[in-house]
Amino acid sequence: MAKNKPEGYLSAKESRRISRENRRITNQFEKERKRKNVPESEYTTTMHNPENAVEFDNLHTYFFTDAGTVKSVDGVSFEVPIGKTVGVVGESGCGKSVTSLSLMQLIQRPQGQIVEGEIRLNLGNDKAYNIVKTPNDKMKDLRGNYVSMIFQEPMTSLNPVFRIGEQVDEVIGLHEERSKEDIKKRTIELLEMVGIANSQGVYQMYPHELSGGMRQRVMIAMALACSPRIIIADEPTTALDVTIQAQILDLLRNLKDKINSSIMLITHDLGVIAEMADYVVVMYAGRVVEKGTVRDIFMNPSHPYTIGLMASKPVVGKQIDRLYSIPGKVPNPVNMPNYCYYKDRCEMCVAGCEGEYPKEISLSDSHKVSCYRFYDGKGEK
């Protein structure tokens, strides 16, 4: 940052210097990523626990902007067990979607890069890939077949100039060798499976002819086309009314059991998390501040941020004049502090909070939190 200038101000000279440095860094990453004929041994790895579908291990995903380096995901570690639903919760901008896009290798490049860490994807038969090092041609096979994503806004994810049937057909045709008749038959089966009654009619329609709930069902059908092992649902019920939300959540739960998939559910709605998730990961400013089973998080929230989130939600049957809101604001992502990112907003600070970012503390076998309130004199639980 420029000295003796308002926060966020950059001179032209500084901006050029940052741009040059960014190009140097991103060119190194791009050169590594664009290599041809990468031997499989470079990206083959071993799952720490074979019962996990995917493992995020110290993941760092940065965006190299002209204003500086944005650490969107800054050391995230958690697992998604096979056949379970893991809810990732946090406010807007905390890194939830960037974490999922890192798994899909859909980060906007060259500005966005995974700079450190591993994402271990379980392919079955004691085989696993480290997604961070997996080349583009292999990722094309993994997307859809092993990992699929239901994007946040279906109207911007569906192509407005193609019919629904053509778009779902394309997904199946890319991954499976089938005749046109078989592909169409499979598409109509998928549309019926996600609860679209007039599947033959919807097959011929354009996205703008469908309601928000119907478009979301089409997105789910596309994500499930190849029966993936992991379904990433990025706020699948945003902008839908309450009754349609309930239908979509029921649909996801039933389909997960039907094809034995895992779900990584990204949302800021604690009600959805309580209903759907087996495990919960709470993120704040690019880091995991607390994780555990859904019972751990809702019955014993331990991090001050999680406690604040719980206090912010309305409770049926309880009348209050005004809902609680967490004071302050998230720190500037370009210039993060060297202490706990939540300290300046925290109402439960202790003496140790002046130190470096707190390490992860185990409250039980399943419940972990990063907070100085659970340290003893030696900095351990």
Side-chain angles (χ1 to χ4, degrees):
M1 290 295 179
K3 295 180 179 179
N4 303 321
K5 296 288 184 180
E7 184 181 357
Y9 172 84
L10 282 176
S11 67
K13 183 178 180 181
E14 285 177 301
S15 183
R16 287 194 299 271
R17 180 188 62 78
I18 291 171
S19 295
R20 284 195 302 271
E21 182 65 14
N22 286 348
R23 282 197 298 272
R24 184 186 67 79
I25 295 171
T26 55
N27 285 343
Q28 290 177 348
F29 284 112
E30 288 297 294
K31 184 179 179 181
E32 182 72 16
R33 179 155 297 283
K34 290 178 179 179
R35 289 185 304 147
K36 302 291 184 182
N37 303 317
V38 180
E40 190 177 47
S41 58
E42 284 196 20
Y43 51 89
T44 302
T45 185
T46 304
M47 301 296 293
H48 285 183
N49 183 352
E51 295 182 1
N52 290 330
V54 65
E55 296 172 346
F56 295 88
D57 189 357
N58 194 33
L59 178 67
H60 292 73
T61 303
Y62 296 171
F63 289 89
F64 297 91
T65 71
D66 289 344
T69 303
V70 177
K71 298 180 179 180
S72 293
V73 176
D74 193 17
V76 164
S77 298
F78 66 91
E79 302 82 31
V80 180
I82 295 171
K84 301 294 184 181
T85 299
V86 174
V88 184
V89 66
E91 61 193 37
S92 297
C94 71
K96 306 185 300 293
S97 294
V98 175
T99 301
S100 65
L101 291 171
S102 299
L103 172 57
M104 296 285 287
Q105 269 199 21
L106 293 177
I107 298 295
Q108 185 178 1
R109 292 165 41 205
Q111 289 81 14
Q113 299 287 344
I114 301 173
V115 300
E116 189 181 341
E118 279 191 338
I119 305 174
R120 294 183 288 273
L121 176 64
N122 192 344
L123 305 181
N125 299 320
D126 296 326
K127 187 176 182 181
Y129 280 170
N130 177 10
I131 296 299
V132 175
K133 296 183 178 179
T134 303
N136 293 332
D137 57 337
K138 284 290 182 183
M139 280 307 302
K140 290 177 183 178
D141 296 330
L142 297 179
R143 293 190 202 106
N145 284 327
Y146 290 90
V147 187
S148 201
M149 190 165 185
I150 304 166
F151 291 94
Q152 187 169 350
E153 177 46 61
M155 197 60 212
T156 57
S157 301
L158 293 168
N159 194 320
V161 300
F162 288 103
R163 298 180 192 273
I164 295 298
E166 292 175 303
Q167 299 189 53
V168 184
D169 285 352
E170 183 183 18
V171 175
I172 301 169
L174 281 171
H175 295 282
E176 298 179 14
E177 292 288 337
R178 294 189 183 215
S179 65
K180 288 186 177 181
E181 292 76 16
D182 285 344
I183 290 175
K184 181 177 179 180
K185 183 179 177 182
R186 173 62 176 158
T187 297
I188 290 172
E189 285 176 3
L190 286 166
L191 294 177
E192 290 173 352
M193 188 168 70
V194 296
I196 296 175
N198 180 24
S199 55
Q200 293 278 0
V202 170
Y203 184 92
Q204 297 293 335
M205 290 181 181
Y206 289 95
H208 71 269
E209 298 180 88
L210 303 178
S211 67
M214 292 281 273
R215 287 195 294 266
Q216 192 64 279
R217 289 171 190 268
V218 171
M219 290 299 300
I220 294 172
M222 292 174 72
L224 300 178
C226 301
S227 300
R229 292 172 177 265
I230 302 165
I231 302 165
I232 301 170
D234 190 355
E235 303 199 22
T237 58
T238 299
L240 300 179
D241 63 72
V242 178
T243 54
I244 299 299
Q245 279 189 28
Q247 291 175 16
I248 295 293
L249 293 177
D250 283 338
L251 175 64
L252 277 174
R253 190 185 299 111
N254 294 335
L255 292 176
K256 175 189 76 104
D257 296 336
K258 189 172 183 179
I259 64 176
N260 194 29
S261 291
S262 306
I263 293 180
M264 183 174 162
L265 179 64
I266 298 168
T267 182
H268 54 257
D269 190 330
L270 291 170
V272 171
I273 291 289
E275 182 180 348
M276 285 284 294
D278 300 298
Y279 299 92
V280 184
V281 175
V282 183
M283 290 186 67
Y284 180 79
R287 294 209 181 195
V288 174
V289 295
E290 188 170 0
K291 59 186 177 183
T293 64
V294 69
R295 183 176 180 83
D296 289 334
I297 301 301
F298 280 85
M299 299 301 291
N300 183 30
S302 300
H303 194 278
Y305 177 62
T306 312
I307 294 169
L309 285 180
M310 297 295 179
S312 301
K313 72 179 191 298
V315 179
V316 176
K318 183 179 179 181
Q319 186 174 359
I320 54 175
D321 295 330
R322 186 175 180 178
L323 280 174
Y324 173 81
S325 63
I326 299 172
K329 61 181 181 179
V330 181
N332 184 346
V334 176
N335 190 23
M336 297 299 279
N338 56 4
Y339 48 83
C340 175
Y341 297 164
Y342 192 66
K343 175 180 173 293
D344 294 333
R345 304 177 72 182
C346 187
E347 298 172 337
M348 303 179 184
C349 282
V350 295
C353 293
E354 300 296 333
E356 62 182 13
Y357 195 92
K359 293 183 174 65
E360 192 175 77
I361 300 297
S362 294
L363 304 182
S364 69
D365 290 341
S366 59
H367 194 184
K368 301 181 188 301
V369 64
S370 297
C371 183
Y372 275 106
R373 296 192 306 133
F374 300 95
Y375 277 47
D376 64 12
K378 299 178 181 178
E380 298 175 351
K381 184 176 178 295

